[in-house]
Amino acid sequence: MVDITIRKRPRTEAVLTQRKFFKKTARGKVIKVLRERYLRDDVGCGIDGCSVCHDLRDFSLPSSGSSAHAQYPNGHFVLPDTNVFLAQMDLMESDLFNPPIILLQTVMEEVRHRSLPLYNRLKALIRAEDKRIWVFYNEYRSETAVIREEGESPNDRNDRGIRMATAWYKTHISLARPPVRGQPSRPSPTVVLLSDDVANRQKAEKEGLVSISVRKYVEALQDTSKLLDLLSAPGSDEVEPTRVASARQALYPDYLPMSTLGAGVKSGQLHQGHFNANQYNYLEGNVPVAAFDKPILLIGRENMNRAVQGDVVAVEVFSESEWKAPADEVVEQETTLRNDDADESEEENDDEEAIAERKVLQAERARREASVRQPTGRVVGIIKRNWRSYVCHIDSTSLTSSNTTSLSQQTVFATPVSRLLPRIRLRTRQAPALLGQKILVTIDRWDSTSRYPEGHFVRALGKVESKEAEQESLLLEFDIPYRPFGKAILDCLPPEGDHWVVPPKTADNPVWRDREDLRDLIICSIDPPGCQDIDDALHARTLPNGNIEAGVHIADVSHFVHPDNPMDSEAAARGTTVYLVDKRIDMLPALLGTNLCSLRPHVERLAFSVIWELTPEADIVNVRFTKSVIASKSAFTYEEAQIRKDDPKLDDDLTKSIRLLNSLAQKLKANRMAAGALNLASPEVKIQLDSSESSDPIDVEQKELRETNSLVEEFMLLANISVARKIEEAFPQTAVLRRHLPPPRSNFEKLQDILQKRKGLTLDVSSSRALADSLDKCLDPNEPAFNTLVRIMATRCMLSAEYFCSGSVARDTFGHYGLASSIYTHFTSPIRRYADVLVHRQLSAAIGYSSLHATLHSKSHVERVLDVVNRRHRMAQMAGRASVEFYVGLALKSRGKGKATTEEAFVIRTFRNGLAVYVSKLGIEGLVTFKRETQFDPDAYTMTVPAASPEAVGTTIAVFDKVTVEIEVEKDKNTQRGRVKMTLRSPVDSSTL
């Protein structure tokens, strides 16, 4: 019998090996958590050829480090502390910055605790093939593990652990290079502690360690000028303030402490929400909060108090006597501040730009009183900054020198592409070379003494208006992940690659387990032209009892994408496929999306099927869900399916199936509309490209919608509703559902008032059914497009639909307002939407085909994933619209051969100094501005342009009026891309105003 020796650890070691902390639960209970950590002496250093760690196979660091630094000719390793990754991640990610890096476990854990987005970037950096990074688990090595001493802060404990690990590496490298008799001793490479924390550097130097700031380290590298531009704006501990800077008067109030903000929000004295800038007036913003029906209005820079689009802010609401109405004038930042100097002046608060802003606000103050007021307040603190990298261009007027050979540092303005963002003050040595280029800029700080935020240059994207730079800038502008799929992700694909096929049907084949063989059914797909990622296919046939069997068959993506593997994690991070005019950014690798999962014709494919028995009146008799194998008989475009359905000469099984599906779809739609579903509208246009190989646009036209579009839509809706009921029944706490909340009535107040005053029409918003009926009655016998215009305006009054976890909200809020359905989800597009993949997994478990992964039993996990998916979905929609807008501009330029074209448009909004118009034929909006004074009536939604002579009568223009505009494409000052510029030609010519 084998002898077993039991060894007890001495009590003295427990202090070092046990980690104790207190945790507060969701219900407010405080519990003590005790975690054991096992200390070892075999955690490797990662240095190639180390004689002490010779038995370890893995290493990432060269034996002598890097000698590419002037101060360390014998080689060196860089050991950054936490603040380097928190503040200088752009530098660490740069291709020009390649020293061998020792990354401590302490640093990784602190970055994760401080910023999850930066932690995800750090993990990607570790995996990057062009970086030399070794993760050293110092918390598990006996010589480097530290415990927090009495009275020591967590930050000081971490700093001490970082210094201890630096000292250990210094000693370890000397031990690994013992002197050899008869040979000169080899100098050891230096371990350099990289830190911008002055106190930490001073302590390190006292302990005999080499430490240096990031800026001083970079100054001695090659490509210094490019690398210095990547550094974030220096903090107060790095640069001694000058007398002028220290005496500069604050332009903005200081923020309240975070503890005060939290207490204020909890007590109801302050309100928390996301800051939204006004695209028409840069001196105005708002914050939607739960306590008020209307958003809290913020007027002027001081009240917006350095909030940037998307920041989570705390707002103090003024007394009701101080409430105001939104401005009725277009105020552009580039016009008001065109003479501003990028270099900070001594008295920034008293310059002419500040005076100009005050004049604008004073002129508006009197006008605001007569209009409808809303809660007004000011930002008193930032709860969460949502800053990221922004696409910008250098404002050429802010350069002090345009000499391309000059390497002197200049302070310039970077103007963001988005009108919702302020100009960013930037210090760079590359300013002349960056003129005419799209660049990426990160905001670092916004001090109370500076009118503008300060940032740093990240990288150039390419020449302005080049298709490549525009495409990349669109993706970056809307934070779309577009990197190629990495090796770990591609390794999750079937090893057979393109040659993978559905295996032969046998009793013992796991692929066929519990799958129905539906290969003989007459199944087809109907999609837009050129569709490669075919998610869905349909069939219908008459049953012997006179009822109809209809089926929706969806690609079985969850067979290939397994929970918690690298491909699943990447799909969750991307959230959705993004469709641009000439490019698609896939959520899944192309092998799955366009091949193995795509339900292509005449190929056997795995599917997840929803099959109903319906009466001829489209009432559901029963529904079943099954994994299946199908073989689509044809792939139609909407137009091809429509032609086939309408051709009286055709009477084959496939045509009969399409006709049967269409007749059911018409009845399903009628039933939905009778229940109160909304038939809303959004502008959709089709860009005509020069050829299938070329992405040069030649024209633009409205998309034509056919019966077959509605056919597919109705069956997808029916499948989504049926699946939603099934998974909510099976998993009432964690079902992935989608809802569309009823909009607050206040959202429709302005549209209701406009319709009543301009057309004498009433819009009833008491329910979705009442709204649908009202929209049907919004007709103008002289203008068929009027009803579509009203539906587009009504759509903008709606709230956005969102994914949610069923256990996180009240049951009575599950409904989808627009579809008039009590429950809904997304099941039908798993190739391009990650939410659908989760729904497939839940449905698979609900029918007993597979067990549900543990993560989908966790409500908190589902909530976190859906937060990301909701955000990615919104960003993908905005990127798609921006792409269409860019290509519409190119198409108009091509159509007019550089000259302006004329189109009819509708007025959708009036301002004191302009009009917003909508060109229905092109699906675009534009702004027509007047420089001359006009007579503006905000209550009647009209503006009157005075006649040239005093005797003549002026021309009155109102919302819903049809006008003629001249459209040309000019370079936008913000985006530096071609922008559609509109000039009124009728009933008056605005070019003379």
Side-chain angles (χ1 to χ4, degrees):
M1 191 170 177
V2 179
D3 290 333
I4 297 176
T5 305
I6 298 175
R7 300 175 62 190
K8 296 185 79 172
R9 183 185 58 205
R11 284 185 178 274
T12 53
E13 286 186 18
V15 178
L16 196 60
T17 60
Q18 288 181 353
R19 298 182 70 180
K20 180 176 69 175
F21 59 93
F22 294 92
K23 181 181 176 183
K24 195 173 186 179
T25 66
R27 295 185 177 181
K29 185 180 178 182
V30 177
I31 57 173
K32 183 170 77 171
V33 178
L34 189 67
R35 285 187 181 159
E36 189 81 15
R37 62 172 173 176
Y38 296 91
L39 301 182
R40 315 159 57 115
D41 56 9
D42 60 348
V43 178
C45 66
I47 299 174
D48 185 16
C50 175
S51 59
V52 179
C53 306
H54 60 86
D55 57 330
L56 299 176
R57 296 180 182 179
D58 294 331
F59 54 84
S60 296
L61 308 175
S63 58
S64 298
S66 169
S67 56
H69 196 283
Q71 293 186 31
Y72 313 111
N74 296 323
H76 75 290
F77 302 99
V78 169
L79 195 153
D81 73 358
T82 308
N83 286 320
V84 173
F85 289 104
L86 292 175
Q88 309 292 358
M89 186 62 85
D90 290 322
L91 171 72
M92 307 303 287
E93 291 175 331
S94 171
D95 295 337
L96 301 174
F97 189 78
N98 276 311
I101 295 171
I102 300 165
L103 175 58
L104 300 182
Q105 176 191 0
T106 300
V107 171
M108 283 192 71
E109 289 181 355
E110 196 171 3
V111 170
R112 181 176 61 180
H113 176 69
R114 299 275 295 276
S115 171
L116 196 56
L118 282 175
Y119 177 67
N120 290 330
R121 287 172 68 181
L122 179 56
K123 289 196 295 182
L125 192 67
I126 295 167
R127 295 193 297 266
E129 295 177 2
D130 58 339
K131 296 289 183 182
R132 297 173 293 177
I133 300 176
W134 176 257
V135 180
F136 178 64
Y137 290 91
N138 60 305
E139 300 283 359
Y140 296 127
R141 175 123 194 169
S142 53
E143 299 100 314
T144 57
V146 295
I147 58 166
R148 186 173 162 191
E149 296 175 350
E150 190 173 347
E152 188 178 41
S153 71
N155 185 62
D156 289 343
R157 178 261 181 206
N158 290 338
D159 285 347
R160 185 164 56 84
I162 291 167
R163 293 195 302 274
M164 183 177 285
T166 308
W168 178 85
Y169 259 98
K170 178 182 176 183
T171 306
H172 182 78
I173 289 173
S174 62
L175 291 174
R177 292 169 167 252
V180 179
R181 183 179 294 177
Q183 293 184 10
S185 59
R186 294 180 297 165
S188 298
T190 307
V191 180
V192 180
L193 174 59
L194 200 62
S195 175
D196 278 337
D197 184 337
V198 176
N200 198 25
R201 289 205 306 269
Q202 290 172 346
K203 289 177 183 176
E205 287 161 6
K206 282 182 183 177
E207 295 169 12
L209 304 175
V210 177
S211 182
I212 190 171
S213 71
V214 176
R215 183 169 291 275
K216 287 182 179 175
Y217 178 84
V218 169
E219 283 172 349
L221 291 172
Q222 296 175 351
D223 297 308
T224 301
S225 60
K226 293 181 180 178
L227 288 172
L228 284 173
D229 280 352
L230 293 172
L231 299 185
S232 63
S236 58
D237 62 343
E238 189 69 26
V239 177
E240 187 70 27
T242 62
R243 185 177 300 171
V244 168
S246 59
R248 186 177 295 128
Q249 187 176 336
L251 298 173
Y252 303 99
D254 287 333
Y255 294 138
L256 297 178
M258 191 61 73
S259 57
T260 307
L261 296 179
V265 170
K266 196 170 183 180
S267 66
Q269 293 178 322
L270 302 177
H271 303 275
Q272 178 178 325
H274 285 85
F275 172 75
N276 297 316
N278 185 331
Q279 62 173 330
Y280 294 116
N281 184 347
Y282 81 99
L283 291 174
E284 196 173 275
N286 66 65
V287 179
V289 298
F292 297 99
D293 287 341
K294 292 184 177 179
I296 299 172
L297 187 64
L298 310 173
I299 302 170
R301 281 179 178 274
E302 188 176 330
N303 289 331
M304 291 191 282
N305 198 3
R306 295 168 283 160
V308 174
Q309 175 72 15
D311 285 349
V312 181
V313 298
V315 182
E316 177 188 51
V317 177
F318 299 149
S319 62
E320 198 165 337
S321 61
E322 296 182 67
W323 289 9
K324 307 283 190 241
D328 50 29
E329 188 168 358
V330 178
V331 183
E332 295 183 329
Q333 181 176 213
E334 61 264 29
T335 304
T336 311
L337 303 177
R338 61 185 177 276
N339 298 322
D340 213 355
D341 188 355
D343 276 316
E344 294 178 276
S345 61
E346 293 184 23
E347 296 295 335
E348 195 165 33
N349 57 310
D350 283 333
D351 61 17
E352 61 184 75
E353 280 66 41
I355 294 167
E357 286 183 351
R358 285 200 289 271
K359 283 181 179 176
V360 170
L361 291 172
Q362 285 165 3
E364 286 183 354
R365 195 165 293 147
R367 299 169 186 160
R368 292 177 190 270
E369 303 303 326
S371 302
V372 180
R373 299 187 306 166
Q374 66 186 68
T376 307
R378 66 187 183 105
V379 171
V380 294
I382 305 293
I383 291 171
K384 184 185 178 188
R385 285 288 192 195
N386 280 322
W387 292 349
R388 55 182 176 83
S389 296
Y390 300 106
V391 180
C392 305
H393 69 90
I394 298 291
D395 182 350
S396 59
T397 61
S398 64
L399 265 70
T400 53
S401 168
S402 56
N403 184 351
T404 54
T405 59
S406 170
L407 290 179
S408 60
Q409 189 179 67
Q410 296 188 53
T411 301
V412 296
F413 281 132
T415 305
V417 164
S418 172
R419 292 178 177 277
L420 303 175
L421 298 167
R423 293 195 284 186
I424 302 168
R425 190 176 265 138
L426 189 69
R427 292 177 177 83
T428 176
R429 289 171 170 77
Q430 304 176 68
L434 295 176
L435 281 177
Q437 294 208 55
K438 284 285 180 70
I439 63 172
L440 207 57
V441 173
T442 295
I443 296 178
D444 299 319
R445 56 197 287 220
W446 195 344
D447 293 333
S448 61
T449 55
S450 172
R451 179 181 290 123
Y452 303 101
E454 294 184 35
H456 68 271
F457 166 77
V458 178
R459 64 186 175 94
L461 304 177
K463 194 171 173 56
V464 162
E465 289 193 284
S466 70
K467 281 214 190 101
E468 295 75 18
E470 293 301 340
Q471 202 169 69
E472 188 174 11
S473 75
L474 269 178
L475 297 171
L476 289 165
E477 188 181 339
F478 296 104
D479 199 21
I480 306 294
Y482 63 99
R483 60 191 175 276
F485 292 103
K487 183 177 181 299
I489 296 163
L490 298 177
D491 285 346
C492 299
L493 295 168
E496 301 90 346
D498 284 323
H499 301 293
W500 182 92
V501 293
V502 176
K505 185 178 182 181
T506 58
D508 58 346
N509 195 308
V511 174
W512 280 92
R513 178 185 63 82
D514 295 336
R515 279 189 189 272
E516 283 195 41
D517 187 349
L518 305 180
R519 291 176 293 181
D520 293 335
L521 283 181
I522 307 297
I523 293 172
C524 68
S525 60
I526 306 174
D527 291 286
C531 181
Q532 294 178 305
D533 49 348
I534 303 174
D535 286 288
D536 55 86
L538 307 102
H539 88 275
R541 61 180 178 179
T542 305
L543 297 173
N545 64 0
N547 286 341
I548 300 163
E549 178 188 273
V552 165
H553 312 275
I554 306 300
D556 189 5
V557 172
S558 59
H559 176 83
F560 298 96
V561 182
H562 301 137
D564 253 7
N565 70 11
M567 184 158 60
D568 181 57
S569 300
E570 181 67 15
R574 295 189 178 214
T576 181
T577 292
V578 181
Y579 293 91
L580 306 181
V581 169
D582 67 336
K583 188 182 176 93
R584 188 183 69 238
I585 314 298
D586 289 322
M587 182 185 80
L588 295 172
L591 177 64
L592 293 185
T594 61
N595 189 349
L596 305 190
C597 290
S598 184
L599 304 181
R600 301 191 298 184
H602 315 297
V603 181
E604 293 180 1
R605 286 287 178 253
L606 303 181
F608 210 150
S609 300
V610 183
I611 301 171
W612 301 270
E613 182 181 342
L614 301 161
T615 67
E617 296 307 310
D619 296 321
I620 299 173
V621 178
N622 61 60
V623 59
R624 61 191 178 90
F625 310 92
T626 179
K627 295 267 188 166
S628 60
V629 177
I630 67 166
S632 173
K633 302 302 181 279
S634 189
F636 297 112
T637 64
Y638 292 118
E639 184 179 10
E640 288 167 349
Q642 187 72 40
I643 291 169
R644 193 179 189 102
K645 182 192 80 70
D646 294 339
D647 189 343
K649 297 176 185 175
L650 294 175
D651 197 37
D652 56 280
D653 289 341
L654 200 49
T655 307
K656 286 178 182 176
S657 178
I658 293 173
R659 288 174 183 155
L660 204 52
L661 287 165
N662 189 62
S663 68
L664 289 169
Q666 290 174 337
K667 290 162 186 170
L668 288 169
K669 185 171 185 177
N671 292 341
R672 275 199 313 112
M673 293 302 166
L678 296 173
N679 183 15
L680 298 172
S682 59
E684 286 198 72
V685 294
K686 177 178 158 188
I687 310 290
Q688 288 185 358
L689 300 179
D690 196 10
S691 67
S692 57
E693 290 80 25
S694 164
S695 60
D696 294 326
I698 57 173
D699 206 352
V700 57
E701 61 185 25
Q702 278 187 303
K703 275 187 182 177
E704 185 182 352
L705 296 179
R706 300 176 172 83
E707 271 187 315
T708 45
N709 290 80
S710 182
L711 180 161
V712 174
E713 181 186 5
E714 289 305 320
F715 276 99
M716 297 307 114
L717 293 176
L718 187 63
N720 289 334
I721 292 168
S722 298
V723 170
R725 290 194 178 113
K726 182 69 176 177
I727 62 173
E728 197 273 332
E729 179 187 313
F731 306 107
Q733 286 300 304
T734 58
V736 174
L737 302 176
R738 186 167 175 81
R739 66 176 178 172
H740 182 208
L741 291 171
R745 292 194 181 192
S746 58
N747 285 22
F748 285 96
E749 284 175 0
K750 192 160 192 175
L751 180 57
Q752 286 174 306
D753 196 42
I754 294 171
L755 283 168
Q756 180 63 47
K757 288 177 177 175
R758 300 307 316 155
K759 294 288 185 179
L761 297 169
T762 302
L763 198 65
D764 185 350
V765 297
S766 57
S767 67
S768 63
R769 175 65 188 272
L771 178 58
D773 291 342
S774 295
L775 288 171
D776 289 340
K777 294 172 185 173
C778 287
L779 300 170
D780 184 339
N782 300 319
E783 188 47 66
F786 172 72
N787 185 259
T788 303
L789 178 65
V790 174
R791 290 180 189 276
I792 289 170
M793 294 173 77
T795 303
R796 295 176 183 182
C797 299
M798 299 287 177
L799 300 175
S800 297
E802 62 180 2
Y803 298 106
F804 70 99
C805 176
S806 59
S808 304
V809 302
R811 182 66 179 80
D812 59 358
T813 65
F814 279 19
H816 196 292
Y817 180 80
L819 298 174
S821 176
S822 60
I823 193 167
Y824 191 67
T825 192
H826 271 165
F827 163 77
T828 53
S829 295
I831 293 176
R832 59 185 180 90
R833 291 190 305 232
Y834 187 70
D836 300 51
V837 177
L838 298 180
V839 170
H840 274 233
R841 290 174 184 160
Q842 290 185 333
L843 183 61
S844 178
I847 63 173
Y849 181 85
S850 61
S851 59
L852 190 63
H853 192 264
T855 54
L856 287 178
H857 281 298
S858 165
K859 189 165 73 172
S860 60
H861 175 83
V862 173
E863 286 172 349
R864 281 197 304 272
V865 171
L866 294 184
D867 280 345
V868 174
V869 171
N870 279 322
R871 182 174 172 275
R872 293 295 187 202
H873 187 73
R874 286 193 301 271
M875 289 298 193
Q877 286 181 320
M878 290 191 281
R881 289 180 198 134
S883 176
V884 169
E885 189 180 314
F886 172 60
Y887 271 86
V888 165
L890 292 181
L892 289 174
K893 191 184 278 188
S894 174
R895 177 207 275 186
K897 301 288 190 284
K899 297 179 182 178
T901 60
T902 303
E903 295 287 353
E904 290 186 331
F906 288 97
V907 177
I908 57 173
R909 188 170 177 183
T910 53
F911 298 99
R912 189 170 297 279
N913 59 341
L915 303 167
V917 298
Y918 173 68
V919 184
S920 56
K921 186 177 176 183
L922 304 176
I924 58 172
E925 281 180 41
L927 196 61
V928 177
T929 54
F930 305 110
K931 291 178 182 167
R932 262 174 50 188
E933 188 69 27
T934 62
Q935 296 170 13
F936 177 61
D937 186 346
D939 294 325
Y941 306 102
T942 64
M943 67 176 300
T944 303
V945 181
S949 62
E951 300 81 22
V953 179
T955 305
T956 299
I957 304 171
V959 173
F960 294 136
D961 282 359
K962 185 184 268 190
V963 296
T964 303
V965 293
E966 187 177 86
I967 305 170
E968 57 185 328
V969 180
E970 66 171 10
K971 188 179 282 189
D972 186 282
K973 290 178 184 175
N974 275 59
T975 65
Q976 289 289 294
R977 12 179 125 108
R979 180 184 72 161
V980 173
K981 179 191 175 186
M982 296 190 188
T983 308
L984 201 62
R985 287 297 178 222
S986 170
V988 292
D989 189 341
S990 67
S991 61
T992 61
L993 300 177

